[in-house]
Amino acid sequence: MDTPFSTLIRTASHEQHTEAETSTFMSDLLGGTLGVDAYTRYTEQLWFVYRALEDGMEQLAADPVAGPFIQAELARVPELERDLAHLRGADWRERVTALPATEAYAARIAECAREWPAGYVAHHYTRYLGDLSGGQIIRDKAEKTWGFARKGDGVRFYVFEGVQNPAAFKRRYRELLDAIAVDELEQQRVVAECKRAFSLNTAVFAALGEEFSRAA
Ligand code: HEM
C-alpha cells in the first residue's frame, strides 16, 4: 500500500470530522448561543473520556503498537480537574455525572486499552490530534465568550504546556502513525475504530445538544 497511514486515517475520518465540527451543540457553543453551564457540562464529559484514555497509559507504554504514542506531555486529566474546580467549585467531584453516551464512549476506550492496543491508538489519535488542532479554536472562542483568562483556569484542557511547537509535534505524531507496527488489514481495522471514535464523539454532542435545547 502506497498511501501513508496518517493520510489514510485522516482521509477516512474527514466526513465525520465535518459532522462533529458542525454539530448543533458545537455550532451553538462556539457561536456563543449557549451559556458557560453548557461548556462546563461538556468539560465534565471530557473528564470521563480522558480518564479512560489515561488510566491505561502506564500499562500501554510498554506495548509495541500503542507504546510510541504514549507521551506524558499529552496527559489532560490534571488540566481537566483544574478547569472543573474553577468552573464548578472545589466540590465538583460530588456532583459530576456522565451522560449515557459518555459512558458508552469511555467504556469503549477502556475496552481497547485493555484488549486491543491498536484500537486504543485510534482513540488516542482522534482526541489528542484534534485537541492540538481544532482545540485551539475552541479555546480562543471560550476565552472570548465566557471571559476566561488567556490559557488560564477554565481552558487549561486546551493548553499543552509541554508541547512547544504544535505543528512540529503533529508532524512527528503523523510519522508515528506511518510507522505503526501493524499490517495492512489491522490498519484498516484501526481506521474503522477511528470512525467509531468520531461517532462516539458525535453521540455525546447530540446528547449535550438535547440537554441544552431542553433547558433553553
Ligand atoms: C468546532 C470543532 C472543531 C474544529 C473547529 C476543528 C478544527 C480542526 C482543524 C482546523 C484541523 C486541522 C489541523 C491541521 O491540519 O493540522 C483539525 C484536525 C483534527 N481534528 Fe478537529 N475540529 C473540531 C472538532 C473536532 C472533534 C470533535 C474531533 C474528534 C473528537 C476532531 C478531531 C480532529 C483530528 C483527529 C484532527 C487531525 C487530522 C489529521 O491531521 O490527521 N476535531 N480540526
Side-chain angles (χ1 to χ4, degrees), residues 61-89:
D63 182 82
V65 176
F69 294 89
I70 308 294
Q71 299 163 80
E73 62 267 45
L74 291 178
R76 297 291 86 200
V77 170
E79 280 75 9
L80 283 166
E81 296 186 345
R82 280 182 77 176
D83 287 340
L84 287 171
H86 177 77
L87 293 162
R88 282 271 193 247

Side-chain angles (χ1 to χ4, degrees), residues 56-70 112-121 176 179-182 186:
M57 231 158 66
E58 222 168 284
Q59 172 197 334
L60 282 166
D63 182 82
V65 176
F69 294 89
I70 308 294
C112 288
R114 267 194 322 270
E115 294 165 17
W116 184 32
Y120 173 87
V121 172
L176 290 177
I180 191 169
V182 301
E186 184 72 343

